[in-house]
Each structure stands twice: as structure tokens, then as C-alpha cells.
């Protein structure tokens, strides 16, 4: 017996959380608007300042930090070089 399931037809009632818009305000703070209507101000400076890794530290240069994009509903810097869990962004705080 072979069972085939077309997952497109199954509605889970769960909508994947995504960022609809992101705006750089100043001093490493972004305003994020999510597809569930939530809006958060997220301060990335503590995370960036405490990091010891050079590929993360380089984003303390505001010209580099401000070059983010939205990719598949999440923040992305330099082709996924820097990316954060959507749940942390939605909570408004980056775990250090």
C-alpha cells in the first residue's frame, strides 16, 4: 500500500512568523514589523559589542550594519553572514 499526502491541501492553522518591514533608526536599533501585527525596536549593539568574532565585530561599522536586507521574512546581512532567530527578534531582544 502506498500513501500519498499533498501537504499543500493540509491547513495547519499556523502561519509562519515573518518580518514584513525593517527600518534602521540609529545606533544599531531597528524597528521591525512582523506579519502578526507586532512591532519591536531591537537594539543589536549589546550583541555586536560583546562578540569576539571578527566577522560579527565588523558590523559595529554602521555603514556595514545598515546594509541589511529582508530575505524570506528574516533579517539578513551579506548573504546570511549575519542572521538571527526570528523568535528572538520577535521578543525584541538578542541573546548574547
Amino acid at each position: 500500500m502506498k500513501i500519498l499526502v499533498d501537504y499543500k491541501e493540509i491547513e495547519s492553522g499556523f502561519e509562519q512568523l515573518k518580518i514584513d518591514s525593517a527600518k534602521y533608526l540609529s545606533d544599531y536599533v531597528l524597528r521591525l514589523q512582523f506579519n502578526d501585527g507586532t512591532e519591536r525596536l531591537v537594539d543589536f549593539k549589546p550583541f555586536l559589542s560583546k562578540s569576539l568574532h571578527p566577522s560579527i565585530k565588523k558590523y559595529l561599522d554602521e555603514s556595514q550594519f545598515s546594509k541589511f536586507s529582508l530575505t524570506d521574512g528574516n533579517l539578513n546581512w551579506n548573504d546570511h553572514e549575519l542572521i538571527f532567530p526570528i523568535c528572538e527578534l520577535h521578543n525584541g531582544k538578542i541573546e548574547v
Side-chain angles (χ1 to χ4, degrees):
M1 178 165 76
K2 187 174 183 179
I3 300 173
L4 297 174
V5 177
D6 185 359
Y7 289 99
K8 294 177 189 173
E9 294 178 7
I10 297 175
E11 291 192 32
S12 67
F14 176 77
E15 185 176 353
Q16 183 177 357
L17 190 59
K18 295 181 179 184
I19 299 170
D20 285 338
S21 68
K23 181 178 181 182
Y24 180 62
L25 300 178
S26 67
D27 202 31
Y28 308 96
V29 175
L30 297 182
R31 174 181 286 129
L32 306 177
Q33 293 184 317
F34 295 85
N35 63 337
D36 68 351
T38 303
E39 183 178 302
R40 296 277 190 246
L41 295 179
V42 181
D43 183 0
F44 292 82
K45 194 170 190 174
F47 173 82
L48 296 172
S49 297
K50 290 180 182 179
S51 176
L52 300 176
H53 200 285
S55 68
I56 295 174
K57 274 291 220 211
K58 76 178 186 179
Y59 290 100
L60 281 170
D61 176 350
E62 282 190 85
S63 66
Q64 290 290 319
F65 181 77
S66 62
K67 292 180 184 176
F68 63 87
S69 64
L70 284 178
T71 306
D72 298 324
N74 202 349
L75 287 174
N76 174 27
W77 283 264
N78 197 24
D79 194 29
H80 298 89
E81 183 176 67
L82 184 65
I83 194 165
F84 296 91
I86 193 88
C87 61
E88 289 185 15
L89 298 172
H90 191 262
N91 289 335
K93 187 172 181 183
I94 303 298
E95 296 296 323
V96 180

